[in-house]
Amino acid sequence: MDPEAVGKVIGETRPEAKQGLRMALAVVIALLLVIGGGVIWKSYLRIPSPPVEVASVEKMASPLADRPSIAVLPFVNMSDDPKQEYFSDGITEDLITDLSNISGLFVIARNSTFTYKGKPVKVKQVAQELGVRYVLEGSVRKATEKVRINAQLIDASTGHHLWAERYDGKMDDIFALQDRITQKIVAALAVKLTAGEQQRSVIIETNSIEAYDAFLQGWEHYLRRTPDDFAKALPYFKNAIELDPNYGRAYAALALTYLEVATYGWLWSMGDLNPTTRIRAQLYLERAMKYPTSVAHRVASDIVLTRRKHQEALAEAEKAITMDPNDAESHLMMAEVLLFIGRPEEAITFAKKAMLLDPRNIAFPLGLQGLAYFCMEQFKEAASLMERALKLNPNRTGFASTLAAAYAHLGRNREARSALDVYTKNWLIPATLQRVMYYFPFKNLEDGDRFAEGLLRAGLPGEPSGYYKASGEHRLTGEEIKELFFGHIQTGLWAGRPWSISRTREGKAALLLDSKVIARGKSWIEGDMLIHQWEKRWEGLKFYISVFRNPEGTPQEKNEYIILSDWNIYGVSLED
C-alpha cells in the first residue's frame, strides 16, 4: 500500500495541461496508485535543465595547474548525410570519456564543450572561458563501412599545434581508432598512466558495431533531456542490448533514463500512466552492475541514497569517481551524498570541483552548496547561493525549497512565502511537510528538523513532528522484517479507507482494500530489504522496501512502523 504515491512534479517548469486532461489524470492517478505503487519525483534539487544555463555564464577560475587541462570540442560531421551527426557527436563524447578516465588529466565535461557546437570559435577564447591550456578539435567522415577521423591538439597558450593526424579505418576498427587518438594525446602531454588506467584504456565495451551505433543514436536523444527525446532514446538502448546482451553501458543508459523520467515526472508527458518507471530503473541497474560503468555506480548511489542507505550511497559515488575521475555528474552525486550524510564542508569541495569540470553548468552545484551552507546554519550564505542558482536557471525551481527555508530562518517571512510558492507551484497534489521531507534524506536528524522548521515558518502545511524520520538506528534487519511481517497482517489507511496486506510465513501475499482482495503476490527478504512482487500489478516487477520502527507511532494512527519504498514513505501497523 502506498497511500501517498500520487506523485508530483517538483521544480521543473512544465507546459500547462488542459483542465479536462488534468481532471482525467487525477482520476487515473487515484485509481492507479491506490495501493503498492507510485512514482518518485525527487524534489530537492536535481531538476532537469538545458545544457547551458539560462543566465549568462559565470567565468570560472583556471583549474588545477599541477596536471594538463584539456577541452575536446565537438568533432565536425563531414559525412554526406547530415543525419550522421549523432555519430560524430558520439565519437567526441567517447574521446572525452576516455580522457576523463585518466587521473593525470583535467578534462572539461561534454555539456560545456558542446556549447560551442556549430559556432566559429577561437581556440584561445575557448581555453580562457573553460579554464584549460589544451584544446582538441577534429572531424569525422563516415561512409558505409569506412570511417575517417581527423584530429589536432592545440596548445592554446601559444596557438601551436602539438600534433595533427588523420586516422582511416573500417567501422569495425572504430574502437581501436579512438584508443589511438587517446594514446596520442596522453603521449603528447607526457601524462603518466597508472597500471589500472593502462588496462582500462584497451577495454572494449562491445564487439558489436551495430549495438554501438544504436547506443549512440539513443544517447543523442537522451542528452537533449526532453520528454519526447527520452521516449525516443529508450528503443535505441533496448535495441543495443538485444544486439549485445552484455553491453553494460546500454543497460546503465536505460537505468539512468528511467530514473530521470521518474524523477522529473516526465512519464505523464510521455503519455505513460504506468507507475513502474523507477522499478524498471532498478531492474536495468541490476543488469548494468554485471558490467559496471561510472554511470551505473552513479545511478546506484542515487537510488540507495533515497533508501537512506547513506554508507552504500557514499561507496557507490566513490566508485563512480574512481572509474571516471573527471566526470562532473559523479562529483555532484558525491556532493549530494556527503551533504545528506552530514558532511557539508566536504560536499562544497566536490560541488566546486564539478563547477571547474563543467563551467557552463553551474546552477546545480551552486544549489548544492547553498543547501550545504544551510546545514551549517549559515543561512545568509545559503540564500545568496540559491538566489544565484535560480538566476542562472529559473527552471530549477527545486532550489526554491532551500531558499524558502533559509529566508524563514533569517526572518524574511514575505520572501520565504514567495519562494515556497515557486517551489510548490507544480505539485499535482497539495504539498505537505510529510510529502516534502521524504525527498530530503538527511542522516543527521537535526539537519532535517532545521530544514522542516524553515519550511513550516515559510507556510508549508504540517506540524513540527509531522514527518516520518526514517533513521538508520531504527532500520529493521531482514530477520526482523521476516519475523514481524510474515505470518501477520500489515494494515494502514489511505484517504480514510482501510487496507491491509496479509502474508503467510512462506511469503504468499494478498492485498485487500475495504476488506476485498484486489491483488495477490509474493514477498521475500534480500539482506535488510523486503522485496515484493504482485502477480498482475506493476507488470509483475519486483520492488524494494525498507522498514523502520517509528518510536512516535501509535496503533490508532496505524504508523508504528515506517515503510520506505522507492517512491514514497508511509506508516503501517501490524495485526496477528
Side-chain angles (χ1 to χ4, degrees):
M1 170 73 177
D2 196 340
E4 295 181 4
V6 189
K8 53 188 170 290
V9 175
I10 314 298
E12 181 204 2
T13 301
R14 300 192 302 140
E16 197 66 32
K18 293 182 179 179
Q19 188 66 25
L21 176 60
R22 189 176 293 273
M23 294 177 63
L25 277 176
V27 174
V28 174
I29 292 170
L31 292 174
L32 277 173
L33 306 179
V34 168
I35 293 176
V39 180
I40 174 173
W41 291 338
K42 275 165 77 172
S43 71
Y44 39 99
L45 291 173
R46 192 173 290 277
I47 304 301
S49 65
V52 188
E53 306 295 1
V54 174
S56 60
V57 176
E58 294 189 13
K59 188 174 181 179
M60 301 301 299
S62 180
L64 305 178
D66 61 344
R67 53 182 171 153
S69 52
I70 186 171
V72 182
L73 294 179
F75 277 32
V76 178
N77 173 33
M78 300 297 290
S79 304
D80 294 333
D81 183 2
K83 293 182 180 180
Q84 295 297 322
E85 195 85 10
Y86 75 90
F87 188 78
S88 57
D89 287 350
I91 295 297
T92 308
E93 182 163 1
D94 280 356
L95 288 171
I96 293 174
T97 300
D98 291 343
L99 293 171
S100 293
N101 290 336
I102 300 172
S103 57
L105 286 175
F106 186 96
V107 186
I108 295 297
R110 176 208 189 274
N111 283 344
S112 285
T113 61
F114 268 68
T115 60
Y116 298 96
K117 182 178 172 64
K119 302 175 182 177
V121 296
K122 295 180 180 180
V123 170
K124 189 172 183 179
Q125 178 184 350
V126 170
Q128 290 176 343
E129 291 177 351
L130 299 182
V132 297
R133 177 173 178 178
Y134 302 99
V135 174
L136 179 71
E137 58 183 9
S139 63
V140 178
R141 181 183 295 275
K142 178 186 174 188
T144 59
E145 297 302 314
K146 295 182 179 180
V147 62
R148 168 175 292 177
I149 301 176
N150 287 291
Q152 55 184 357
L153 183 64
I154 305 168
D155 184 339
S157 65
T158 64
H160 293 160
H161 288 67
L162 298 184
W163 60 263
E165 290 192 16
R166 184 178 73 189
Y167 301 85
D168 290 311
K170 297 180 179 179
M171 276 296 296
D172 291 344
D173 302 326
I174 189 64
F175 306 121
L177 294 178
Q178 291 177 23
D179 191 58
R180 284 169 59 191
I181 297 173
T182 300
Q183 295 299 332
K184 194 74 175 181
I185 295 170
V186 169
L189 302 182
V191 178
K192 292 183 179 180
L193 300 179
T194 66
E197 289 167 350
Q198 291 174 4
Q199 183 179 7
R200 276 205 306 267
S201 67
V202 295
I203 291 178
I204 297 177
E205 294 178 335
T206 178
N207 290 314
S208 171
I209 297 301
E210 292 79 9
Y212 176 68
D213 192 73
F215 172 84
L216 289 184
Q217 293 184 69
W219 197 244
E220 179 192 35
H221 286 294
Y222 165 81
L223 289 170
R224 293 173 184 168
R225 296 196 173 186
T226 69
D228 183 56
D229 279 293
F230 271 32
K232 291 177 180 177
L234 293 171
Y236 284 111
F237 294 147
K238 291 177 180 178
N239 184 34
I241 61 176
E242 288 173 0
L243 293 165
D244 182 359
N246 299 323
Y247 198 173
R249 190 178 177 191
Y251 284 117
L254 277 167
L256 179 63
T257 305
Y258 276 121
L259 178 66
E260 293 193 1
V261 166
T263 297
Y264 305 152
W266 281 351
L267 72 169
W268 311 106
S269 300
M270 293 167 61
D272 183 3
L273 296 182
N274 194 324
T276 61
T277 309
R278 192 169 175 97
I279 302 176
R280 280 180 257 170
Q282 173 66 42
L283 171 68
Y284 286 113
L285 175 62
E286 291 175 4
R287 297 174 182 175
M289 281 304 193
K290 296 179 181 178
Y291 324 94
T293 63
S294 176
V295 171
H297 286 297
R298 177 155 46 90
V299 171
S301 180
D302 196 317
I303 287 177
V304 296
L305 178 62
T306 303
R307 294 173 181 167
R308 275 60 172 178
K309 293 195 168 194
H310 297 92
Q311 289 304 128
E312 288 186 28
L314 182 63
E316 292 295 343
E318 289 173 342
K319 291 175 183 176
I321 291 178
T322 298
M323 295 192 74
D324 193 346
N326 286 285
D327 180 38
E329 289 292 324
S330 294
H331 282 79
L332 288 174
M333 191 69 243
M334 176 61 82
E336 194 172 318
V337 173
L338 289 169
L339 193 159
F340 286 113
I341 213 171
R343 293 156 59 179
E345 296 92 346
E346 295 173 74
I348 291 172
T349 299
F350 278 92
K352 288 183 176 179
K353 177 67 177 294
M355 291 170 69
L356 291 175
L357 290 167
D358 196 358
R360 294 205 163 207
N361 288 274
I362 64 172
F364 185 48
L366 284 175
L368 284 177
Q369 291 177 67
L371 187 51
Y373 277 105
F374 181 92
C375 291
M376 294 188 288
E377 301 184 67
Q378 298 181 35
F379 305 123
K380 185 176 180 180
E381 290 81 357
S384 177
L385 285 162
M386 286 300 180
E387 289 166 352
R388 285 177 62 196
L390 279 167
K391 182 178 179 181
L392 283 168
N393 194 338
N395 289 330
R396 285 189 180 271
T397 51
F399 297 142
S401 59
T402 303
L403 184 59
Y407 279 156
H409 280 284
L410 290 169
R412 298 163 64 176
N413 298 330
R414 182 177 298 178
E415 293 166 286
R417 176 73 255 185
S418 297
L420 184 67
D421 289 341
V422 170
Y423 173 60
T424 61
K425 67 180 179 182
N426 287 319
W427 286 54
L428 298 180
I429 57 174
T432 64
L433 185 66
Q434 181 71 276
R435 291 170 179 142
V436 170
M437 291 305 295
Y438 166 73
Y439 300 98
F440 290 82
F442 291 109
K443 181 180 181 181
N444 184 347
L445 296 183
E446 291 182 359
D447 289 340
D449 288 344
R450 187 181 306 112
F451 192 79
E453 180 185 354
L455 293 176
L456 289 173
R457 289 186 189 180
L460 186 68
E463 299 294 330
S465 60
Y467 72 97
Y468 290 128
K469 302 175 183 180
S471 171
E473 63 179 310
H474 298 302
R475 184 188 296 271
L476 298 187
T477 66
E479 287 300 317
E480 289 173 327
I481 295 173
K482 189 172 183 178
E483 181 65 26
L484 287 168
F485 283 73
F486 288 61
H488 297 89
I489 299 175
Q490 170 186 331
T491 65
L493 294 172
W494 181 77
R497 300 172 67 185
W499 63 268
S500 64
I501 295 177
S502 63
R503 289 185 178 90
T504 67
R505 283 287 181 183
E506 294 73 31
K508 293 183 179 179
L511 172 64
L512 294 85
L513 181 64
D514 294 332
S515 300
K516 296 180 180 179
V517 176
I518 62 173
R520 297 185 184 276
K522 60 180 179 179
S523 301
W524 65 96
I525 302 295
E526 291 183 11
D528 60 358
M529 303 289 290
L530 171 63
I531 316 298
H532 192 80
Q533 189 173 29
W534 296 115
E535 293 175 355
K536 297 180 180 179
R537 299 173 73 85
W538 321 139
E539 301 179 10
L541 295 171
K542 66 178 182 179
F543 52 92
Y544 291 71
I545 298 170
S546 297
V547 185
F548 302 80
R549 287 189 179 87
N550 182 14
E552 300 174 355
T554 65
Q556 293 75 24
E557 295 182 4
K558 295 191 179 298
N559 62 353
E560 296 168 280
Y561 297 92
I562 298 170
I563 299 296
L564 191 151
S565 71
D566 282 334
W567 50 75
N568 216 343
I569 188 170
Y570 53 95
V572 300
S573 288
L574 295 174
E575 297 179 1
D576 292 331

